[in-house]
Amino acid sequence: MSEQRSRVSVSRDVPIAMRDGTRLYADLYRPEVDRRYPVLLQRTPYNKTVETWPKTNFRPSPAFLASCGYAVIIQDVRGRFKSEGEYDPYKRDAEDGYDTVQWAAAQPWSSGKVGMFGGSYMGATQFLAASAKPPALQALFPYFTGSSHYDTWVYAGGAFNLLTRFTWVVRMMVDTAARKGSGMPKPLKELAEAMAELRKSASAEAGSDVAELERGIVALLSRLLNPVPLRELPIPEELGGYFFDWLDHWKDDGYWQRINTENEYGRIRLPMLHIGGWYDEFARSTLDNYVGFSRHLASEAGRVSQKLIMGPWIHGSFSRNIGDVDFGPEIDESERYINDLNAAYFDYWLKGIDNGYAETPPVRLFIMGVNRWRDEREWPLARTDYQSWYVHSDGTANEARGGGWLSPEPPVDEPPDQYAYDPDHPVQTNGGNILRIGMNIGPCDQRRDTPRDDVLSYVSKPLEADMEVTGYIKMKLWAATDAEDTDFTAKLIDVYPDGTEINIQDGVIRASFRESLADPHPVEPGRVYAYEIDLWATSQLFFKGHRIKLELSSSNFPRFNRNLNTFGPPAEQRDVRIARQTIYHDTIRPTHILLPVIPGAEPNDRQKRDDQ
């Protein structure tokens, strides 16, 4: 990190002309000493004015970076807040990013070298700018950000990410409505105001206020998200029409490919520091970006120019307390660590300072459960022992009937499990990789007051030794349905000796997307298919005495839109039917979850184990 801190001056609303004459406005932070500095650029749709950012907003702050010897530009993207033009997510961010980078490099206070930084949307604007190859762009620092915007951001396994995308659009509509001088529908205005207040209260850590706000938001969402077809959701076309574009493009087609970062893995050859969270909605994307960009570089060059940090975090937060879990004191200094690391990273790449950054390990992982950081040389870990854990039952694995069991032993001749999935009574979302918008988020106790017959539960015996699971998780499922389309969901859970059940990861597959996200086909009712459910990735130490639980069902609402058990675009489907599902686990159809087990997991910390 730069040793000498500088006093900082701020210039507000600096106009930057794009190639089509549209002016985008930025705030500029510079050291007061008048000389040339490397430039750090962030392009945001969430308001460039730092004073409006909640405490929990993405760090580091522009004033801090400027004090380290950088000219820092925070720019409103096209059509947002002070900037001119019409807003359409990502549509012009490649060209506008290129133009802004080159403008910054040409300024008299610039050294000619530009880096970009930021999380979530501000990570995507980095990748899009880099795809246009502006010559002055030298390094990227993306965190909590996406790769395939189709498969993770808007859809997952073919299912629509209803909760996060609906609430995100409502948030974005506030500025659009103000710009156009038009009002928002009353329930959406109430939701937007409640979510804004929640962000403020969460920043102030006002526990009782947060709980009350969350209850109100859940009540609002329960009314707003129920309509079918999804075309009838109350989003005005003139304020958030791109929401319906997403619904119309329900397959992974050219609409999505134009902004797919995965297409750039072999083209963008810039240094990157990737940061993500195990409970972030972009957890898998962060890992995919690190692997994808590293793969196209020579091994030694890749180790220096691509680095990865994965914490236990939810989207955009470096807090130690997430959901129902306290991740311990090693998380307490995360925000300061990220601030300092950001400066050290850019000092190395933009100033050429030999500060030891190049020698730091390429991968740093937070191992949940034992709650410790560990450095690694690669991702996924080369020493991984992939183990199949199989589901078993006597045909009564339904949660309401006692459940089945999970073990490393393959099944023999066992009867299948069956349940009825009714879209009018879906399994409710409880935690997981969603945004903080009023629902339970991250790791949450999964115990239900009333067991459900449409949830299959498979639980292992208490573990005889600690077991670390670090890496990608896949579910291989043999199943049949009497519908032409349906969903299958899977959830991995850590069961504590006292009965607490904490979700680790989950996933979904829409049956019609079983072979291709670009070319879905209905299923043949009654036919058995082999499905793969992607549960993304984790790093979790299951302690001795804990049990591993796997839940299977057909809904996770409102995180994902309900499959009505009919085939077609979700925007148009309105006919609801009950589907009867059959899950097979026998010698020729051995349904199982593939766990990335790390041999020689670090020894038990006695105090940690006692706390579990």
Side-chain angles (χ1 to χ4, degrees):
M1 183 177 65
S2 302
E3 291 297 330
Q4 194 67 37
R5 295 289 176 82
S6 304
R7 294 173 61 88
V8 174
S9 65
V10 183
S11 302
R12 304 287 187 185
D13 300 333
V14 177
I16 304 173
M18 300 296 102
R19 63 189 67 182
D20 64 352
T22 301
R23 288 175 300 180
L24 308 187
Y25 287 86
D27 290 345
L28 171 63
Y29 299 75
R30 284 191 295 154
E32 288 185 348
V33 177
D34 189 17
R35 60 184 177 85
R36 293 178 180 270
Y37 296 97
V39 179
L40 300 181
L41 167 66
Q42 181 177 111
R43 307 190 62 252
T44 178
Y46 301 126
N47 197 340
K48 64 180 174 58
T49 306
V50 172
E51 289 75 14
T52 66
W53 297 0
K55 181 182 174 185
T56 54
N57 206 72
F58 301 106
R59 296 297 195 261
S61 74
F64 169 81
L65 292 173
S67 76
C68 295
Y70 292 92
V72 183
I73 298 171
I74 310 294
Q75 181 188 61
D76 287 333
V77 300
R78 181 180 293 250
R80 298 293 293 170
F81 295 93
K82 291 293 181 69
S83 289
E84 298 174 353
E86 291 294 319
Y87 179 65
D88 192 341
Y90 305 123
K91 187 173 183 180
R92 293 295 299 265
D93 282 322
E95 298 93 332
D96 290 349
Y98 179 102
D99 293 348
T100 304
V101 167
Q102 292 306 108
W103 176 90
Q107 299 311 299
W109 36 259
S110 170
S111 71
K113 293 184 176 182
V114 179
M116 294 185 72
F117 72 104
S120 193
Y121 197 110
M122 293 82 86
T125 55
Q126 295 177 57
F127 292 134
L128 288 164
S131 72
K133 296 189 176 299
L137 187 57
Q138 303 292 305
L140 307 181
F141 185 8
Y143 39 100
F144 300 118
T145 199
S147 52
S148 165
H149 285 80
Y150 173 82
D151 188 37
T152 58
W153 193 60
V154 177
Y155 291 84
F160 183 63
N161 280 320
L162 176 62
L163 175 66
T164 52
R165 295 290 67 83
F166 178 82
T167 51
W168 185 83
V169 170
V170 170
R171 177 186 177 187
M172 302 300 279
M173 284 168 52
V174 174
D175 176 60
T176 304
R179 294 167 68 93
K180 292 179 179 289
S182 59
M184 292 174 62
K186 184 178 178 182
L188 298 190
K189 184 179 179 183
E190 291 176 359
L191 178 61
E193 290 172 348
M195 290 192 298
E197 191 61 34
L198 176 64
R199 288 193 295 275
K200 266 195 249 173
S201 296
S203 296
E205 299 180 349
S208 59
D209 292 344
V210 168
E212 185 176 345
L213 281 165
E214 288 179 337
R215 284 193 293 272
I217 290 172
V218 169
L220 271 171
L221 288 171
S222 67
R223 298 196 302 271
L224 287 168
L225 295 178
N226 273 323
V228 290
L230 296 183
R231 180 77 67 191
E232 295 179 3
L233 288 168
I235 294 177
E237 183 78 28
E238 69 275 13
L239 299 182
Y242 43 86
F243 179 84
F244 299 107
D245 291 342
W246 299 340
L247 287 172
D248 290 338
H249 293 276
W250 58 295
K251 310 172 187 179
D252 191 5
D253 58 16
Y255 176 89
W256 301 106
Q257 289 303 312
R258 67 185 174 85
I259 56 172
N260 188 345
T261 300
E262 294 172 355
N263 296 334
E264 303 299 325
Y265 288 163
R267 297 183 62 250
I268 299 174
R269 305 220 168 196
L270 294 175
M272 299 180 198
L273 174 56
H274 309 264
I275 296 181
W278 297 122
Y279 286 101
D280 177 30
E281 68 165 339
F282 293 126
R284 198 196 77 190
S285 295
T286 300
L287 297 165
D288 289 349
N289 286 337
Y290 170 75
V291 172
F293 285 113
S294 298
R295 186 183 301 131
H296 294 278
L297 299 169
S299 58
E300 191 57 39
R303 276 195 290 271
V304 173
S305 70
Q306 303 293 313
K307 298 199 176 187
L308 169 71
I309 299 172
M310 289 295 291
W313 305 301
I314 57 175
H315 191 65
S317 171
F318 297 116
S319 170
R320 66 180 270 179
N321 294 290
I322 301 172
D324 293 332
V325 175
D326 178 351
F327 286 107
E330 291 201 16
I331 292 299
D332 281 338
E333 296 301 313
S334 294
E335 189 168 322
R336 175 183 289 181
Y337 171 74
I338 298 300
N339 271 341
D340 290 346
L341 184 66
N342 195 343
Y345 168 74
F346 284 121
D347 282 354
Y348 179 79
W349 288 108
L350 301 186
K351 296 181 179 178
I353 297 174
D354 186 5
N355 53 13
Y357 175 82
E359 286 71 47
T360 59
V363 175
R364 194 173 198 227
L365 306 177
F366 189 83
I367 317 302
M368 298 184 293
V370 72
N371 294 343
R372 292 175 180 160
W373 287 103
R374 190 173 70 214
D375 294 335
E376 296 287 351
R377 302 303 301 172
E378 75 281 321
W379 175 271
L381 307 189
R383 63 185 183 279
T384 304
D385 174 20
Y386 291 97
Q387 296 183 8
S388 296
W389 283 64
Y390 299 89
V391 306
H392 300 268
S393 83
D394 57 5
T396 57
N398 312 70
E399 185 180 67
R401 296 188 231 174
W405 65 96
L406 188 70
S407 81
E409 289 77 38
V412 287
D413 291 329
E414 299 175 359
D417 291 304
Q418 296 180 316
Y419 63 93
Y421 159 52
D422 182 355
D424 285 333
H425 300 281
V427 177
Q428 296 296 301
T429 297
N430 183 17
N433 296 50
I434 58 177
L435 298 179
R436 183 165 194 167
I437 42 174
M439 307 287 292
N440 291 343
I441 187 169
C444 297
D445 196 338
Q446 300 296 300
R447 288 175 292 184
R448 278 179 275 267
D449 293 335
T450 304
R452 297 184 62 118
D453 200 58
D454 59 352
V455 175
L456 303 182
S457 172
Y458 305 92
V459 186
S460 75
K461 295 178 181 178
L463 296 175
E464 296 180 356
D466 291 350
M467 176 174 160
E468 182 186 321
V469 173
T470 296
Y472 296 108
I473 306 168
K474 303 287 186 184
M475 175 84 202
K476 192 65 176 287
L477 173 73
W478 275 265
T481 179
D482 67 352
E484 63 177 356
D485 197 10
T486 196
D487 286 356
F488 293 105
T489 63
K491 184 181 292 184
L492 179 66
I493 297 170
D494 182 1
V495 182
Y496 292 33
D498 67 1
T500 302
E501 300 184 359
I502 297 297
N503 53 302
I504 304 303
Q505 263 300 357
D506 59 66
V508 63
I509 185 66
R510 185 145 292 180
S512 55
F513 288 84
R514 64 198 177 276
E515 296 175 351
S516 169
L517 296 178
D519 188 22
H521 293 286
V523 298
E524 179 183 329
R527 178 179 170 184
V528 180
Y529 292 91
Y531 297 96
E532 183 176 277
I533 303 178
D534 184 357
L535 281 79
W536 295 6
T538 193
S539 183
Q540 173 74 28
L541 187 75
F542 291 84
F543 283 95
K544 177 182 178 180
H546 285 222
R547 293 177 292 161
I548 301 172
K549 181 176 181 178
L550 177 67
E551 281 189 357
L552 300 178
S553 193
S554 288
S555 53
N556 181 355
F557 179 80
R559 179 179 177 183
F560 304 116
N561 78 301
R562 295 166 292 167
N563 193 318
L564 305 186
N565 299 316
T566 56
F567 176 72
E572 312 301 337
Q573 290 178 298
R574 66 172 65 246
D575 296 329
V576 179
R577 59 154 296 180
I578 295 174
R580 287 164 178 81
Q581 324 287 49
T582 304
I583 308 300
Y584 294 87
H585 42 89
D586 51 42
T587 53
I588 60 173
R589 294 164 296 198
T591 292
H592 62 274
I593 187 168
L594 190 64
L595 297 178
V597 177
I598 305 304
E602 56 187 280
N604 233 335
D605 179 306
R606 184 73 200 178
Q607 181 61 46
K608 290 286 183 184
R609 185 175 69 183
D610 291 345
D611 289 344
Q612 304 303 310

